[in-house]
Amino acid sequence: MFDRKSAQRRQLLAGGAAATLATLTSGLASSAWAAGSDKPEKEEVKIGFIPLTDCASVVMAAELGFDKKYGIKIIPSKEASWAGVRDKLVNGELDMSHVLYGLIYGVQLGIGGPKKDMAVLMALNNNGQAITLSKKLADAGAVDGPSLAKVMAANPREYTFAGTFPTGTHAMWMHYWLAAAGINPVAGAKLITVPPPQMVANMRVGNMDGFCVGEPWNHRAIMDGVGITANTTQDIWKDHPEKVLGTTLEFVKKYPNTARAVVMAVLEASRWIDAGLQNKLKMAETVAQKSYINTGVEAINQRILGRYQNGLGKTWDDPNHMKFFNDGAVNFPYLSDGMWFLTQHKRWGLLKSHPDYLAVAKQVNQIGLYTEAAKALGISVPKDPMRTSKLIDGVVWDGKDPAKYADGFKIKGA
């Protein structure tokens, strides 16, 4: 169980990290002890997931019994679409969910659905998504961004690309990737929304020219002979944020001990997955089952180890494959990660004016609660809640001037 005195002592000794994060934890430290105990207020926690490889840490927390260790029972709930996840989070049918980072921020600001105060408890994974182009496009010479731009210019028609939710990660990766190749995804293409498990079937019948989705559906498209991998999302942004454990702010305030207990259980599962080859293969076997992803284990077990093929004969080992823990580097809810999605929502016209980027991120990302959970498990947290990255187009994101960043792209929405 969580030792309050030990945690407080560790926080006092944490020095720079605690000082940096102090301004972000106002109210949270006290609210975490609202019941006068660390006992979870709610013992059964219904957590939604979409059939994707990156739901694994939530699933394995339940399958391996890490939840029981912290006095809770995680009930994984298989959902059909991200829109369904959004609605069930907002109306309380789900307590939490494996969810798209940008979906949580979209709901926070009332875009892509109803407006409600939301919370990101932790990040679940980095990397591990991909851009798939149809085999028909590949046969015409479109095998990456630049060659796609040439094919589209030489053969003008309406080109259709799919993401999984309008404000979500996959839509933003697809937008960013097309723009980096000189293609305006708003004026020069049609973008549609398709649930992840339906991507391959829709490509098979010709409903789209390309899609961005999580695994195993990109590898499944190659196995089924309907698509090729043009780029991985780690090509777009190395160690990019992807899925998060999301809930409403109301839930965190009402059940702070429960929220922390879930974070601790999922952190333990994340650490277990990344601990070695056998654990990853066991995870692949588990999540491939009908009750979870419902696909062959062979569609999952290669890319989680970084063993890639593009469907055109090229194979490579990618050190930047999907990671669930990476010594804790994956799971910290960086403010700059949340802010980045807002800059892209503004870039593509989903937001009509600049929000207070930092204030929104501080409200949504539960850094104080995450820090308590991580330190109780001996997991280090970064000293700075902002991080710097260079994306595929060479543009650096550091969170320092988000409005300037959002307005600085040559290709953007209306």
Side-chain angles (χ1 to χ4, degrees):
M1 272 299 177
F2 189 84
D3 184 328
R4 180 184 175 184
K5 289 183 178 179
S6 295
Q8 289 176 329
R9 188 161 58 249
R10 278 191 290 270
Q11 285 182 322
L12 287 171
L13 295 173
T20 304
L21 297 172
T23 58
L24 304 172
T25 59
S26 57
L28 274 172
S30 58
S31 71
W33 316 112
S37 163
D38 67 317
K39 179 178 170 59
E41 308 87 352
K42 184 178 171 70
E43 292 184 4
E44 286 196 354
V45 187
K46 188 176 182 181
I47 304 184
F49 71 92
I50 292 286
L52 291 160
T53 304
D54 50 33
C55 75
S57 54
V58 169
V59 169
M60 298 311 291
E63 287 276 349
L64 297 173
F66 289 123
D67 52 352
K68 295 181 182 67
K69 187 174 177 180
Y70 298 103
I72 54 170
K73 181 180 180 182
I74 291 174
I75 302 172
S77 177
K78 188 173 182 176
E79 304 299 328
S81 70
W82 290 121
V85 166
R86 172 201 61 199
D87 294 344
K88 289 183 179 182
L89 281 174
V90 168
N91 68 27
E93 286 182 65
L94 290 173
D95 295 317
M96 301 178 183
S97 190
H98 152 257
V99 65
L100 300 161
Y101 217 132
L103 183 153
I104 294 292
Y105 272 76
V107 174
Q108 179 73 23
L109 294 181
I111 56 174
K115 188 178 191 304
K116 190 175 181 75
D117 286 340
M118 302 299 286
V120 166
L121 300 178
M122 62 182 288
L124 296 177
N125 69 295
N126 289 164
N127 308 325
Q129 324 296 294
I131 308 283
T132 291
L133 295 178
S134 71
K135 195 68 165 58
K136 184 178 178 182
L137 262 186
D139 291 342
V143 297
D144 56 18
S147 58
L148 172 64
K150 289 178 182 177
V151 168
M152 289 176 67
N155 304 280
R157 62 172 174 84
E158 184 176 72
Y159 286 80
T160 301
F161 301 94
T164 61
F165 189 79
T167 63
T169 54
H170 303 117
M172 295 305 102
W173 306 140
M174 180 60 84
H175 278 70
Y176 204 99
W177 181 79
L178 288 168
I183 302 162
N184 189 317
V186 176
K190 179 182 178 183
L191 276 98
I192 61 173
T193 297
V194 175
Q198 298 175 26
M199 284 291 191
V200 177
N202 273 271
M203 180 167 277
R204 184 180 289 112
V205 298
N207 286 347
M208 82 271 277
D209 296 287
F211 61 71
C212 181
V213 73
E215 297 301 342
W217 306 116
N218 302 286
H219 190 62
R220 185 84 249 176
I222 292 173
M223 292 173 65
D224 292 359
V226 300
I228 63 104
T229 294
N231 277 110
T232 64
T233 49
Q234 53 265 31
D235 292 333
I236 300 171
W237 177 356
K238 178 186 171 184
D239 293 337
H240 67 78
E242 184 49 44
K243 305 303 186 301
V244 296
L245 185 63
T247 185
T248 62
L249 190 60
E250 179 184 13
F251 185 95
V252 177
K253 289 180 175 179
K254 190 174 181 180
Y255 307 112
N257 295 342
T258 306
R260 188 183 61 246
V262 175
V263 170
M264 292 174 76
V266 175
L267 272 173
E268 287 227 44
S270 303
R271 180 161 59 185
W272 180 89
I273 292 168
D274 275 10
L277 173 67
Q278 293 306 313
N279 290 7
K280 289 179 181 178
L281 294 178
K282 172 65 175 174
M283 175 271 281
E285 291 174 5
T286 303
V287 300
Q289 295 173 26
K290 187 175 182 180
S291 55
Y292 298 121
I293 300 177
N294 191 24
T295 192
V297 70
E298 70 279 3
I300 300 173
N301 64 11
Q302 293 302 298
R303 289 193 171 188
I304 61 167
L305 301 175
R307 297 169 185 165
Y308 278 80
Q309 57 165 305
N310 70 348
L312 296 168
K314 178 185 175 184
T315 62
W316 70 99
D317 288 330
D318 189 343
N320 304 314
H321 55 81
M322 186 183 293
K323 293 187 174 73
F324 293 88
F325 183 66
N326 196 18
D327 294 327
V330 168
N331 310 108
F332 184 78
Y334 287 95
L335 298 179
S336 53
D337 287 356
M339 291 164 65
W340 185 87
F341 289 104
L342 293 179
T343 68
Q344 299 309 295
H345 296 163
K346 177 63 175 67
R347 177 185 181 183
W348 303 117
L350 296 167
L351 285 170
K352 302 306 177 187
S353 59
H354 291 290
D356 186 334
Y357 293 92
L358 185 57
V360 173
K362 283 181 176 180
Q363 182 177 0
V364 175
N365 287 22
Q366 304 299 300
I367 287 180
L369 189 147
Y370 173 83
T371 299
E372 290 174 356
K375 289 190 173 181
L377 292 172
I379 296 168
S380 63
V381 297
K383 294 180 179 180
D384 193 339
M386 312 288 272
R387 62 173 179 152
T388 301
S389 302
K390 181 185 286 188
L391 276 66
I392 192 172
D393 54 2
V395 178
V396 173
W397 164 245
D398 59 16
K400 290 178 181 175
D401 193 340
K404 182 180 179 181
Y405 176 85
D407 289 341
F409 293 96
K410 291 180 181 179
I411 297 177
K412 50 191 171 184

